Amino acid sequence: MKQKDVKMKTIFNQRVVILAGKSSSTNIVYNALKDDFHIECIILEDPVKKVEFLKKRIKYMGFWRVSGQVLFKTTIAKFLEIYSKKRISAIHRENKMDDAALPKELVIPVTSVNDDKVISLLQKHHPAIVVVNGTRIISKKVLNAIDARFVNIHAGITPKYRNVHGAYWALVNNDFENCGVTVHLVDPGIDTGSIIYQSCISVTRQDNFATYPSLQLAKGIVYLKKALNDIFDGRLVTKKRSLESKIWHHPTLGQYILNRLMYQKK
């Protein structure tokens, strides 16, 4: 077989589809993978409408708690995001994280990752791996639509810090050994899939709620690449950890202030 044919055969057997939400982290993930893996396409879902999101959240968590979360996100979280721009840029620069725009020819917009259109696209491109980033919870129907591994970077150490802001909550709990990131297989649960790699992050005095996700993404991309290579090389090993399993949510304004005061006393 000619060298060119061997190369094409390898690419054909190592197709990757990115299934993601619209965010700078999706851009960073794509740009980190594009030179080492064959990206077939990027299926990009629309964000959930804010009114719809808030209605569901209020039904699940209650009006006052959700109001506190909104207050936190629109005040302290927004301030920290602006205040930390230089630090976030430094993290991106040090880790060669590129958030350049996605190539238009690869992007396929969808309303939701659980649309029938997504199943058709996955079956059409038939990737060996689907890299997931920042989407809704993916249904069993989609996960079972093709014989592929769905892989995700989670910003927390699972199962102890599932859902959101795993590094922040670990630090609030003084749980430094579980302040990190997980690369895992995706199942229908909330960050309950089998663990492929986990690693802690190093937090400095320059870091805060707004910078932790960048530190986690930088570390996560390193292990995402390792996980993809493990799958393609047929040496994937997963594990389960006997840690307390808990779902965490956005802090409310009151929670953040109280946690900050308590942390300063330690």
Side-chain angles (χ1 to χ4, degrees):
M1 187 179 290
K2 295 180 181 179
Q3 187 175 1
K4 183 178 178 182
D5 293 336
V6 172
K7 184 178 180 181
M8 290 305 296
K9 183 174 185 295
T10 301
I11 290 174
F12 182 80
N13 288 337
Q14 296 192 351
R15 290 175 295 185
V16 174
V17 164
I18 296 177
L19 184 57
K22 296 177 181 178
S23 68
S24 62
S25 67
T26 294
N27 295 20
I28 289 169
V29 168
Y30 166 76
N31 286 305
L33 299 180
K34 67 179 182 180
D35 293 332
D36 298 315
F37 303 95
H38 178 68
I39 310 297
E40 275 282 300
C41 66
I42 305 162
I43 303 174
L44 209 58
E45 79 164 350
D46 293 333
V48 180
K49 292 179 181 179
K50 288 184 179 180
V51 173
E52 178 186 338
F53 174 80
L54 288 173
K55 281 182 178 179
K56 288 183 178 179
R57 185 61 66 88
I58 289 170
K59 185 176 180 180
Y60 174 63
M61 303 179 69
F63 175 80
W64 292 112
R65 187 173 178 186
V66 174
S67 296
Q69 291 173 335
V70 171
L71 280 172
F72 168 71
K73 291 184 71 175
T74 55
T75 55
I76 292 177
K78 181 60 70 175
F79 167 77
L80 289 174
E81 185 180 328
I82 296 169
Y83 172 79
S84 304
K85 279 186 176 180
K86 287 186 178 179
R87 172 58 178 158
I88 293 171
S89 294
I91 294 169
H92 287 188
R93 187 169 57 253
E94 290 164 10
N95 293 280
K96 298 179 180 179
M97 299 163 74
D98 181 4
D99 64 355
L102 302 172
K104 292 181 180 179
E105 65 273 15
L106 290 184
V107 174
I108 305 173
V110 296
T111 303
S112 166
V113 290
N114 295 315
D115 288 350
D116 288 340
K117 181 180 178 180
V118 173
I119 293 175
S120 297
L121 288 167
L122 291 176
Q123 291 174 342
K124 174 185 175 182
H125 292 283
H126 209 350
I129 299 174
V130 178
V131 173
V132 178
N133 186 73
T135 69
R136 298 167 173 84
I137 299 299
I138 302 175
S139 68
K140 285 184 180 180
K141 187 178 179 181
V142 173
L143 293 174
N144 295 330
I146 56 171
D147 183 18
R149 304 278 190 172
F150 287 69
V151 184
N152 178 58
I153 298 174
H154 170 63
I157 296 293
T158 60
K160 196 168 185 180
Y161 296 98
R162 294 161 52 208
N163 205 24
V164 293
H165 305 302
Y168 167 75
W169 288 115
L171 292 173
V172 166
N173 295 332
N174 238 14
D175 188 8
F176 302 106
E177 64 181 15
N178 287 306
C179 177
V181 63
T182 301
V183 174
H184 66 96
L185 296 177
V186 178
D187 65 14
I190 300 175
D191 306 315
T192 53
S194 296
I195 298 161
I196 305 175
Y197 288 110
Q198 288 185 322
S199 181
C200 292
I201 59 170
S202 297
V203 177
T204 71
R205 290 188 176 182
Q206 296 175 286
D207 294 307
N208 57 53
F209 185 89
T211 68
Y212 302 148
S214 292
L215 292 170
Q216 290 171 298
L217 183 59
K219 183 78 74 170
I221 285 171
V222 173
Y223 288 98
L224 175 65
K225 289 183 176 182
K226 288 170 68 73
L228 267 56
N229 281 318
D230 287 349
I231 293 170
F232 285 134
D233 293 342
R235 49 186 169 83
L236 175 68
V237 176
T238 62
K239 60 183 177 181
K240 291 281 188 180
R241 292 191 64 188
S242 56
L243 294 171
E244 173 193 14
S245 180
K246 189 170 180 179
I247 292 179
W248 300 82
H249 301 281
H250 294 281
T252 64
L253 180 62
Q255 280 179 318
Y256 183 85
I257 293 172
L258 180 61
N259 290 335
R260 187 69 181 170
L261 292 172
M262 294 300 292
Y263 190 78
Q264 288 175 340
K265 291 179 181 179
K266 292 177 182 178

